Amino acid sequence: MKQEENMIYFVTGNINKFNEISVIFSKANMKYCLQQKDIKTIEIQADTIKEVALFKLNSIKGQINGSYFIEDAGFFIDIPLNGFPGVYSSYVMKTIGNKGLLSLIDDFENTKAHFSTVIALHYKPLDKNFYFEGCVHGKISKTIRGTGGFGFDPIFLPDILPDRTFAEITTEEKNRISHRGKAWNKFINFMKKT
Ligand code: ITT
């Protein structure tokens, strides 16, 4: 097999996302070698992360020799913010952050939230695109808690471990239950079958 066929590129500027995936990849015993590519992608404003992911994937076309993928995640506060920040997650993280988000929902006892992610893969041998989705549901913590993880992790309490935020568990524990972990398991099963 030529070396290029053994490579698979994860196009992302977010090293935390790359590191989480690397942990799953190294345990999956795949024939591929994972490499980060931090190249410019076009991120449109759309209603769903799948639309954002599709556009982002197409914006890379012709720039990478081999199979490559992007991953687009969003954090949705379903109660009481009707899904905000959702597709605006990156912008909200950069501007008001977790502290700002908590101040928006200070008065609410009941919260519901979820993370969703879409991995969009361009699979070179078939010259086709494939999608893998993952989701995890939970609540919002009253305070910012934990030093692990990244992004919205310190304010998210997953339903399955309701006493700990995503920033209070290890990467392995997060990968077992997270949006990203679920989508990546589907991705890995696909790659193993092909
Ligand atoms: P790319 O270069 O891969 O696009 P990004 O940082 O823009 O990286 P996303 O659009 O996928 O990443 O994520 C939107 C926001 O949601 C961003 O601020 C992330 O920090 C945050 N986020 C994504 N996955 C997360 C996770 O597992 N836990 C906490 N926050 C997360």
Side-chain angles (χ1 to χ4, degrees):
M1 210 185 241
K2 275 196 276 149
Q3 203 201 347
E4 181 196 292
E5 287 165 354
N6 285 320
M7 299 301 296
I8 186 151
Y9 299 97
F10 182 6
V11 180
T12 181
N14 188 325
I15 190 67
N16 298 299
K17 282 169 41 172
F18 182 77
N19 287 342
E20 283 188 5
I21 297 318
S22 300
V23 172
I24 303 178
F25 238 81
S26 60
K27 291 202 175 131
N29 201 14
M30 313 239 307
K31 62 182 177 185
Y32 298 95
C33 189
L34 180 69
Q35 197 171 308
Q36 182 187 10
K37 277 241 185 227
D38 185 2
I39 56 176
K40 196 140 188 63
T41 57
I42 300 176
E43 201 150 335
I44 54 158
Q45 219 64 79
D47 289 343
T48 66
I49 53 172
K50 192 162 178 184
E51 287 172 81
V52 178
L54 173 64
F55 201 91
K56 207 166 167 182
L57 189 74
N58 285 334
S59 75
I60 307 162
K61 210 171 176 162
Q63 293 185 56
I64 297 176
N65 211 358
S67 295
Y68 56 88
F69 55 85
I70 58 104
E71 187 225 322
D72 213 71
F75 183 55
F76 299 78
I77 302 183
D78 304 302
I79 299 176
L81 299 182
N82 294 326
F84 182 83
V87 292
Y88 306 104
S89 295
S90 281
Y91 184 70
V92 166
M93 179 46 70
K94 276 185 222 139
T95 50
I96 62 172
N98 287 326
K99 205 169 162 211
L101 267 183
L102 286 188
S103 71
L104 293 180
I105 59 174
D106 229 6
D107 295 341
F108 293 83
E109 268 316 307
N110 280 337
T111 57
K112 264 186 198 287
H114 72 274
F115 279 105
S116 273
T117 195
V118 175
I119 300 164
L121 163 74
H122 180 75
Y123 188 57
K124 175 92 172 172
L126 299 177
D127 197 25
K128 271 182 83 172
N129 295 341
F130 295 89
Y131 301 92
F132 309 91
E133 299 183 48
C135 192
V136 58
H137 290 270
K139 290 185 169 37
I140 304 292
S141 163
K142 280 269 162 220
T143 54
I144 295 172
R145 280 169 34 193
T147 52
F150 65 98
F152 303 101
D153 285 345
I155 62 167
F156 182 71
L157 297 163
D159 284 341
I160 203 164
L161 286 174
D163 298 330
R164 285 188 284 164
T165 68
F166 263 0
E168 294 177 307
I169 59 179
T170 64
T171 301
E172 283 82 0
E173 283 173 311
K174 182 181 168 190
N175 279 340
R176 264 200 292 279
I177 59 175
S178 78
H179 51 308
R180 183 161 301 107
K182 289 174 186 165
W184 284 100
N185 281 332
K186 293 179 192 168
F187 174 90
I188 282 167
N189 285 337
F190 168 84
M191 293 302 274
K192 280 188 167 171
K193 275 193 226 134
T194 55

